[in-house]
Amino acid sequence: MVGALNAALRDALREDDRVLVFGEDVGRSGGVFRVTDGLQAEFGDRRVFDTPISEAGIAGAAVGLAFGGWRSVVEMQFDAFSYPALEQIVDHVAKMRERTRGRIDMPITIRMPAFGGIKGKEHHGESPETFYVHTAGLKVVAPSNPGDAYRLLRLAIADPDPVIVLEPKARYWARQDADLTTGGFGIGEGALVRDGDAATVFTYGAMVARCLDAASVLADEGLETRVVDLRSLSPLDTPLIARCVRETGRAVVVHEAPKTLGLGAEVTARIVEEAFEFLEAPVRRVTGYDVPYPPAALEHRYLPSVERIADAVREVVAY
Amino acid sequence: MASEPDHWRGTEPLRVLAPDGTAVGDIDVGLAPDELRAMLRWMLLARRLDRECIALQRQGELTVYPGFEGQEAAQIGSATALGPEDFVFPTFRELAAALVRGVDPVQYLAYHRGTWHGGPYDPRATRFGPICIPVATQIVHAVGYAMGLALDGTRACSLAYFGDGSTSEGDFHEAANLAGVFSAPAILFCQNNGWAISVPTERQTAGEIFRRAEGYGFPGIRVDGNDVLAVYRTTREAAARAYAGDGPTLIEALTYRIGAHSTADDPGRYRVEDEVAAARAFDPIVRFRSWLESVGHIDGGVLADWEGEIESEVLAIRDGVIAQPAPPVEWMFDHTYADPPAAIAEQRAEVLGG
Ligand SMILES: Cc1ncc(C[n+]2csc(CCOP(=O)(O)OP(=O)(O)O)c2C)c(N)n1
C-alpha cells in the first residue's frame, strides 16, 4: 500500500504543478512510513518539503495556500498528532468554502496513518474518524487495499473540497497487484468485497481484511457472509448499505474505534431509516471499547477479532 | 580539533569545562567531590542502560525505543540541580533524568515494553510526570503546575524537558507566554540535540531558541549541554530564581543526538556519518571524566569497580523488564473514569466473560 500511495502522489505532482506535498519529515526522510519516499529528489524542495513540527501551522498554511490556488497534500505524522491541527481543520479547512460563499476552493488533502494494530505507543493507534466525519465540509476516506489507496488519494487530491485520507497503518505493508489507474469508483462509493446472503458485514480500513477472514471461517460453517468495504466514510454510500440490508436482512458493523458515536452508530441509524422493514434481527456492532486505545500488550484484546466478528454474525443469523 | 555541530554556531554557550576536559572560567559549582563523582556514575549508568534498551528492542523485548546517547550531561546536570520538591514534566527521551529522580527503571520501561502507557510509577511520589508523546504539550502542564506552586506559596519549581523541534509547536509558545504573564516558577529546558527526526535545527527555526524568552519577558540562557557542570549551574540558578519568586527561565542546552531518533528511524537517510564522528569528540562523559581524573577526584580503580556494579545493575533491570507479565485485560477498563459508567462496566464484563 505504501507503494501505491507513493505512486499516487508522484502522478499527481507530475500532472499538476500546483500540487504541493509537505509535512513533518516528508522530504529528505521520505516520511516515517516512506509514503513520500523519493518525491523531494524528483520534484525538488519547493514542491515537496519538510515543515517544522507544527500541525496547526501545516493545516493553516494549506488554507492560505488554497487562497493562492495551490493544492496542498499534507501529512499528519500520526493519527493523534492531527489533534493539534483540529482547530484549523474544523474551523477553517472545513468551513472556508461556505464562509466565502463558494468563491474559495479548499482542495486540501490531509493524509494520516491511522488506526491500530502495529503495537504502537500511546497516541499511535487512534481512530479519529468520528471527529472528521462529524465535521461538515470535509470528506473522509479510508482505503483498505493498495488499488483503492491509489485511486482514493488521486480523487482526494483532484477534489475541490478538503479530504481526510485515513491510511490504515496496519495495512501499509500489504502487497497486492493493484490497478493504479484512475478509472472506476468515486468518493462516496463503497465496495462489495465478498458476496453472501446470510448477513452483511459493513466495515472499512484494516478491519476489511479481518472481516474477510471471519467470512471464510463462517463459510466453512455454511454461512455465506457478505462483506462491504465502506471505503468512503463521509459521504457514506447509503444506497449500497440499504441494498445489502434489503438483500440479506441482517447486518453487523465492524470498526476499531470506540463504540459510542463510532461510525457504526451512523451506519446503524441509516439501516434503520432506510431498510427497517427488511431487518430480521437487530443490528450488531463489533468495535473497540469506550476506553483509550490500550498499550501494545493489550491491543489484541481491544481490536475486533475474527472470533468476535464471527460470533456477531452467528448471533444475527440465529436471531 | 573536530568542528562543532552546526547548530552550536552562533551565540557562545555558557561553559565550565572545555571539550577537552580542561576548566574554563569558574569551576566551582558548589558540589562536593562525592556529589561530582555521583554525577559521573549516573552518566555511565544512563549510557549503559540506554544501549541495553536498544539491544532489548532489537531482540523484540521492547517496542520502539528512543535513545539519548550524547545527552547524558544535559539530562543529568539538570535533574541533579533540582530539589526534592521540584516536579519534572518529561518527553519520551528522559530516561537518564528519570533515573536521577528515583523513578524505578523497570517501571519506567514498562512504557516501552508496551505493558502500560505512562509507566506505572507514581508521578506524585517521584515528582516525575508520565512519559509524554505529543511534543510540547507537557510544557504547558509544567507551567500550570508552577502556577499552582505560586498559588500555594510553595518554594519549589517545575521543569519541562523538550526538544528543539518542540519549540515549533503552538503549545511551546502558549506555555512560554503563560509562564511570563504569571511569573510562574517554571524552567523550560530545551535539549537542542540538532535534529527533530530528520529535520535539522536550522530547518526547524530561523532564530536562536534561547532568545525567544526575551519576547515573553523572562531570561533565556544558552548553555553547553555536553558540559554537565555548566548545565548543573545554569539549572540551579534558574531554580533559585524560581524559588525567589523571580519567574521562569528558558534554558537551551546545546547537545547532540548520537544515535537514531528512535529504533524505528534510519538516520542514514538524512545525516552524514562524518557529522556523528565529529560530534563524538564532544562526548559529555569523556569530558567530565577526564576533568575528574585531572583533579584527582577519580581514578582507574573506582572506574573499574563501577563498571562491574553498573553491569549488574543494568542486567537486573533487563531481567526485571523481561519478567514483566502482560497486564490483565481488565486494566483497559479500570482507569478510564474514577467511577466507570454502566456501559464501561458492561464492556469490561463482556471481555472478561469471553
Ligand atoms: C504533536 C506531535 N507531532 C508529531 C510528533 C511525532 N514526533 C515524535 S518525536 C518528533 C521529533 C521531536 O523533535 P524534538 O522536539 O527536537 O525532540 P527530539 O526527538 O529531538 O529529542 C516528532 C515529529 C509528536 N510526537 N507529536
mmCIF file of all heavy atoms in Angstrom, chain B residues 20-50:
data_model
loop_
_atom_site.group_PDB
_atom_site.id
_atom_site.type_symbol
_atom_site.label_atom_id
_atom_site.label_comp_id
_atom_site.label_asym_id
_atom_site.label_seq_id
_atom_site.Cartn_x
_atom_site.Cartn_y
_atom_site.Cartn_z
ATOM 1 N N ASP B 20 37.866 19.415 25.850
ATOM 2 C CA ASP B 20 38.973 18.506 26.204
ATOM 3 C C ASP B 20 39.050 18.257 27.708
ATOM 4 O O ASP B 20 39.990 17.613 28.195
ATOM 5 C CB ASP B 20 40.303 19.059 25.675
ATOM 6 C CG ASP B 20 40.689 20.368 26.346
ATOM 7 O OD1 ASP B 20 39.936 20.838 27.242
ATOM 8 O OD2 ASP B 20 41.732 20.935 25.973
ATOM 9 N N GLY B 21 38.103 18.774 28.459
ATOM 10 C CA GLY B 21 38.069 18.483 29.893
ATOM 11 C C GLY B 21 38.863 19.454 30.743
ATOM 12 O O GLY B 21 38.965 19.267 31.960
ATOM 13 N N THR B 22 39.380 20.500 30.153
ATOM 14 C CA THR B 22 40.070 21.499 30.974
ATOM 15 C C THR B 22 39.060 22.549 31.426
ATOM 16 O O THR B 22 38.081 22.829 30.728
ATOM 17 C CB THR B 22 41.213 22.190 30.202
ATOM 18 O OG1 THR B 22 40.673 22.690 28.977
ATOM 19 C CG2 THR B 22 42.334 21.218 29.896
ATOM 20 N N ALA B 23 39.320 23.095 32.601
ATOM 21 C CA ALA B 23 38.370 24.059 33.155
ATOM 22 C C ALA B 23 38.488 25.401 32.456
ATOM 23 O O ALA B 23 39.586 25.862 32.147
ATOM 24 C CB ALA B 23 38.641 24.218 34.648
ATOM 25 N N VAL B 24 37.339 26.004 32.183
ATOM 26 C CA VAL B 24 37.334 27.376 31.675
ATOM 27 C C VAL B 24 36.409 28.173 32.592
ATOM 28 O O VAL B 24 35.296 27.753 32.842
ATOM 29 C CB VAL B 24 36.861 27.457 30.206
ATOM 30 C CG1 VAL B 24 37.885 26.863 29.266
ATOM 31 C CG2 VAL B 24 35.518 26.774 29.987
ATOM 32 N N GLY B 25 36.867 29.253 33.094
ATOM 33 C CA GLY B 25 36.023 30.050 33.983
ATOM 34 C C GLY B 25 35.931 29.428 35.373
ATOM 35 O O GLY B 25 36.763 28.606 35.772
ATOM 36 N N ASP B 26 34.867 29.807 36.064
ATOM 37 C CA ASP B 26 34.703 29.414 37.461
ATOM 38 C C ASP B 26 34.260 27.954 37.549
ATOM 39 O O ASP B 26 33.137 27.620 37.204
ATOM 40 C CB ASP B 26 33.653 30.337 38.105
ATOM 41 C CG ASP B 26 33.333 29.904 39.534
ATOM 42 O OD1 ASP B 26 34.093 29.089 40.109
ATOM 43 O OD2 ASP B 26 32.305 30.387 40.058
ATOM 44 N N ILE B 27 35.142 27.106 38.025
ATOM 45 C CA ILE B 27 34.875 25.671 38.029
ATOM 46 C C ILE B 27 34.036 25.239 39.232
ATOM 47 O O ILE B 27 33.419 24.166 39.216
ATOM 48 C CB ILE B 27 36.221 24.891 37.996
ATOM 49 C CG1 ILE B 27 35.994 23.399 37.745
ATOM 50 C CG2 ILE B 27 37.008 25.113 39.274
ATOM 51 C CD1 ILE B 27 35.548 23.061 36.386
ATOM 52 N N ASP B 28 33.966 26.077 40.252
ATOM 53 C CA ASP B 28 33.268 25.654 41.474
ATOM 54 C C ASP B 28 31.758 25.829 41.330
ATOM 55 O O ASP B 28 31.246 26.941 41.376
ATOM 56 C CB ASP B 28 33.799 26.462 42.664
ATOM 57 C CG ASP B 28 33.137 25.999 43.957
ATOM 58 O OD1 ASP B 28 32.466 24.936 43.938
ATOM 59 O OD2 ASP B 28 33.293 26.701 44.979
ATOM 60 N N VAL B 29 31.059 24.734 41.173
ATOM 61 C CA VAL B 29 29.604 24.828 41.038
ATOM 62 C C VAL B 29 28.919 24.522 42.362
ATOM 63 O O VAL B 29 27.694 24.392 42.423
ATOM 64 C CB VAL B 29 29.059 23.885 39.936
ATOM 65 C CG1 VAL B 29 29.655 24.240 38.571
ATOM 66 C CG2 VAL B 29 29.318 22.412 40.263
ATOM 67 N N GLY B 30 29.694 24.355 43.410
ATOM 68 C CA GLY B 30 29.109 24.150 44.735
ATOM 69 C C GLY B 30 28.817 22.699 45.054
ATOM 70 O O GLY B 30 27.958 22.408 45.880
ATOM 71 N N LEU B 31 29.483 21.784 44.370
ATOM 72 C CA LEU B 31 29.273 20.364 44.658
ATOM 73 C C LEU B 31 30.529 19.771 45.284
ATOM 74 O O LEU B 31 31.659 20.098 44.881
ATOM 75 C CB LEU B 31 28.941 19.598 43.372
ATOM 76 C CG LEU B 31 27.557 19.860 42.746
ATOM 77 C CD1 LEU B 31 27.444 19.177 41.392
ATOM 78 C CD2 LEU B 31 26.436 19.414 43.681
ATOM 79 N N ALA B 32 30.345 18.889 46.261
ATOM 80 C CA ALA B 32 31.463 18.194 46.899
ATOM 81 C C ALA B 32 31.958 17.085 45.978
ATOM 82 O O ALA B 32 31.219 16.629 45.107
ATOM 83 C CB ALA B 32 30.990 17.602 48.226
ATOM 84 N N PRO B 33 33.188 16.635 46.183
ATOM 85 C CA PRO B 33 33.741 15.577 45.324
ATOM 86 C C PRO B 33 32.823 14.359 45.219
ATOM 87 O O PRO B 33 32.647 13.812 44.135
ATOM 88 C CB PRO B 33 35.064 15.230 46.009
ATOM 89 C CG PRO B 33 35.471 16.488 46.686
ATOM 90 C CD PRO B 33 34.198 17.160 47.124
ATOM 91 N N ASP B 34 32.211 13.970 46.315
ATOM 92 C CA ASP B 34 31.288 12.836 46.288
ATOM 93 C C ASP B 34 30.142 13.045 45.319
ATOM 94 O O ASP B 34 29.722 12.141 44.596
ATOM 95 C CB ASP B 34 30.646 12.656 47.677
ATOM 96 C CG ASP B 34 31.396 11.629 48.483
ATOM 97 O OD1 ASP B 34 32.395 11.109 47.941
ATOM 98 O OD2 ASP B 34 30.981 11.376 49.638
ATOM 99 N N GLU B 35 29.596 14.266 45.389
ATOM 100 C CA GLU B 35 28.455 14.590 44.522
ATOM 101 C C GLU B 35 28.889 14.646 43.066
ATOM 102 O O GLU B 35 28.150 14.234 42.171
ATOM 103 C CB GLU B 35 27.839 15.927 44.954
ATOM 104 C CG GLU B 35 27.228 15.858 46.353
ATOM 105 C CD GLU B 35 26.828 17.227 46.897
ATOM 106 O OE1 GLU B 35 27.683 18.165 46.876
ATOM 107 O OE2 GLU B 35 25.689 17.363 47.360
ATOM 108 N N LEU B 36 30.077 15.133 42.838
ATOM 109 C CA LEU B 36 30.598 15.185 41.463
ATOM 110 C C LEU B 36 30.776 13.769 40.924
ATOM 111 O O LEU B 36 30.397 13.461 39.795
ATOM 112 C CB LEU B 36 31.936 15.933 41.433
ATOM 113 C CG LEU B 36 31.852 17.432 41.743
ATOM 114 C CD1 LEU B 36 33.247 17.993 41.998
ATOM 115 C CD2 LEU B 36 31.174 18.177 40.588
ATOM 116 N N ARG B 37 31.338 12.913 41.763
ATOM 117 C CA ARG B 37 31.530 11.521 41.354
ATOM 118 C C ARG B 37 30.182 10.854 41.054
ATOM 119 O O ARG B 37 30.025 10.137 40.081
ATOM 120 C CB ARG B 37 32.244 10.735 42.457
ATOM 121 C CG ARG B 37 33.750 10.791 42.367
ATOM 122 C CD ARG B 37 34.381 9.728 43.265
ATOM 123 N NE ARG B 37 34.206 10.039 44.687
ATOM 124 C CZ ARG B 37 35.038 10.827 45.372
ATOM 125 N NH1 ARG B 37 36.108 11.331 44.785
ATOM 126 N NH2 ARG B 37 34.822 11.081 46.652
ATOM 127 N N ALA B 38 29.218 11.139 41.915
ATOM 128 C CA ALA B 38 27.897 10.528 41.718
ATOM 129 C C ALA B 38 27.326 10.913 40.358
ATOM 130 O O ALA B 38 26.698 10.109 39.667
ATOM 131 C CB ALA B 38 26.943 10.961 42.826
ATOM 132 N N MET B 39 27.590 12.151 39.978
ATOM 133 C CA MET B 39 27.067 12.612 38.697
ATOM 134 C C MET B 39 27.679 11.809 37.545
ATOM 135 O O MET B 39 26.980 11.424 36.595
ATOM 136 C CB MET B 39 27.366 14.104 38.537
ATOM 137 C CG MET B 39 26.220 14.822 37.965
ATOM 138 S SD MET B 39 25.976 16.533 38.502
ATOM 139 C CE MET B 39 27.504 17.324 38.240
ATOM 140 N N LEU B 40 28.968 11.552 37.634
ATOM 141 C CA LEU B 40 29.609 10.751 36.574
ATOM 142 C C LEU B 40 29.035 9.338 36.563
ATOM 143 O O LEU B 40 28.779 8.765 35.508
ATOM 144 C CB LEU B 40 31.128 10.698 36.782
ATOM 145 C CG LEU B 40 31.864 9.851 35.718
ATOM 146 C CD1 LEU B 40 31.714 10.469 34.326
ATOM 147 C CD2 LEU B 40 33.348 9.674 36.064
ATOM 148 N N ARG B 41 28.807 8.809 37.745
ATOM 149 C CA ARG B 41 28.283 7.449 37.790
ATOM 150 C C ARG B 41 26.892 7.378 37.159
ATOM 151 O O ARG B 41 26.563 6.444 36.424
ATOM 152 C CB ARG B 41 28.233 6.955 39.244
ATOM 153 C CG ARG B 41 28.054 5.448 39.346
ATOM 154 C CD ARG B 41 28.105 5.008 40.799
ATOM 155 N NE ARG B 41 27.979 3.560 40.924
ATOM 156 C CZ ARG B 41 26.855 2.878 40.730
ATOM 157 N NH1 ARG B 41 25.755 3.509 40.385
ATOM 158 N NH2 ARG B 41 26.843 1.557 40.872
ATOM 159 N N TRP B 42 26.076 8.379 37.427
ATOM 160 C CA TRP B 42 24.757 8.426 36.766
ATOM 161 C C TRP B 42 24.919 8.426 35.240
ATOM 162 O O TRP B 42 24.168 7.767 34.523
ATOM 163 C CB TRP B 42 23.984 9.691 37.163
ATOM 164 C CG TRP B 42 23.307 9.667 38.498
ATOM 165 C CD1 TRP B 42 23.488 10.562 39.509
ATOM 166 C CD2 TRP B 42 22.323 8.742 38.961
ATOM 167 N NE1 TRP B 42 22.673 10.242 40.581
ATOM 168 C CE2 TRP B 42 21.955 9.129 40.274
ATOM 169 C CE3 TRP B 42 21.722 7.611 38.404
ATOM 170 C CZ2 TRP B 42 21.004 8.435 41.026
ATOM 171 C CZ3 TRP B 42 20.776 6.930 39.144
ATOM 172 C CH2 TRP B 42 20.428 7.339 40.434
ATOM 173 N N MET B 43 25.884 9.197 34.784
ATOM 174 C CA MET B 43 26.072 9.312 33.325
ATOM 175 C C MET B 43 26.484 7.965 32.739
ATOM 176 O O MET B 43 25.992 7.554 31.686
ATOM 177 C CB MET B 43 27.117 10.396 33.014
ATOM 178 C CG MET B 43 26.610 11.801 33.323
ATOM 179 S SD MET B 43 27.906 13.074 33.295
ATOM 180 C CE MET B 43 28.083 13.343 31.538
ATOM 181 N N LEU B 44 27.382 7.286 33.442
ATOM 182 C CA LEU B 44 27.842 5.981 32.938
ATOM 183 C C LEU B 44 26.701 4.966 32.958
ATOM 184 O O LEU B 44 26.504 4.211 32.007
ATOM 185 C CB LEU B 44 29.022 5.480 33.786
ATOM 186 C CG LEU B 44 30.310 6.292 33.628
ATOM 187 C CD1 LEU B 44 31.292 5.961 34.765
ATOM 188 C CD2 LEU B 44 30.961 6.032 32.266
ATOM 189 N N LEU B 45 25.936 4.990 34.045
ATOM 190 C CA LEU B 45 24.808 4.061 34.158
ATOM 191 C C LEU B 45 23.775 4.336 33.055
ATOM 192 O O LEU B 45 23.270 3.422 32.396
ATOM 193 C CB LEU B 45 24.154 4.195 35.538
ATOM 194 C CG LEU B 45 22.856 3.405 35.739
ATOM 195 C CD1 LEU B 45 23.106 1.898 35.657
ATOM 196 C CD2 LEU B 45 22.202 3.754 37.080
ATOM 197 N N ALA B 46 23.493 5.632 32.869
ATOM 198 C CA ALA B 46 22.483 6.003 31.876
ATOM 199 C C ALA B 46 22.902 5.538 30.481
ATOM 200 O O ALA B 46 22.097 4.989 29.722
ATOM 201 C CB ALA B 46 22.269 7.513 31.884
ATOM 202 N N ARG B 47 24.163 5.739 30.154
ATOM 203 C CA ARG B 47 24.591 5.341 28.814
ATOM 204 C C ARG B 47 24.522 3.827 28.638
ATOM 205 O O ARG B 47 24.051 3.333 27.619
ATOM 206 C CB ARG B 47 26.010 5.834 28.517
ATOM 207 C CG ARG B 47 26.462 5.354 27.148
ATOM 208 C CD ARG B 47 27.622 6.090 26.590
ATOM 209 N NE ARG B 47 27.339 7.511 26.433
ATOM 210 C CZ ARG B 47 28.215 8.385 25.962
ATOM 211 N NH1 ARG B 47 29.430 7.982 25.617
ATOM 212 N NH2 ARG B 47 27.900 9.652 25.843
ATOM 213 N N ARG B 48 24.966 3.131 29.645
ATOM 214 C CA ARG B 48 24.957 1.669 29.545
ATOM 215 C C ARG B 48 23.520 1.151 29.427
ATOM 216 O O ARG B 48 23.230 0.257 28.635
ATOM 217 C CB ARG B 48 25.659 1.086 30.776
ATOM 218 C CG ARG B 48 25.662 -0.421 30.894
ATOM 219 C CD ARG B 48 26.504 -1.095 29.805
ATOM 220 N NE ARG B 48 26.333 -2.541 29.889
ATOM 221 C CZ ARG B 48 25.320 -3.209 29.336
ATOM 222 N NH1 ARG B 48 24.413 -2.574 28.625
ATOM 223 N NH2 ARG B 48 25.223 -4.517 29.481
ATOM 224 N N LEU B 49 22.628 1.748 30.193
ATOM 225 C CA LEU B 49 21.232 1.313 30.168
ATOM 226 C C LEU B 49 20.575 1.664 28.830
ATOM 227 O O LEU B 49 19.801 0.874 28.267
ATOM 228 C CB LEU B 49 20.451 1.965 31.323
ATOM 229 C CG LEU B 49 18.983 1.565 31.462
ATOM 230 C CD1 LEU B 49 18.827 0.045 31.626
ATOM 231 C CD2 LEU B 49 18.328 2.287 32.639
ATOM 232 N N ASP B 50 20.913 2.827 28.322
ATOM 233 C CA ASP B 50 20.363 3.253 27.022
ATOM 234 C C ASP B 50 20.758 2.241 25.941
ATOM 235 O O ASP B 50 19.934 1.813 25.133
ATOM 236 C CB ASP B 50 20.904 4.649 26.701
ATOM 237 C CG ASP B 50 20.336 5.225 25.405
ATOM 238 O OD1 ASP B 50 19.100 5.248 25.272
ATOM 239 O OD2 ASP B 50 21.126 5.658 24.543
#
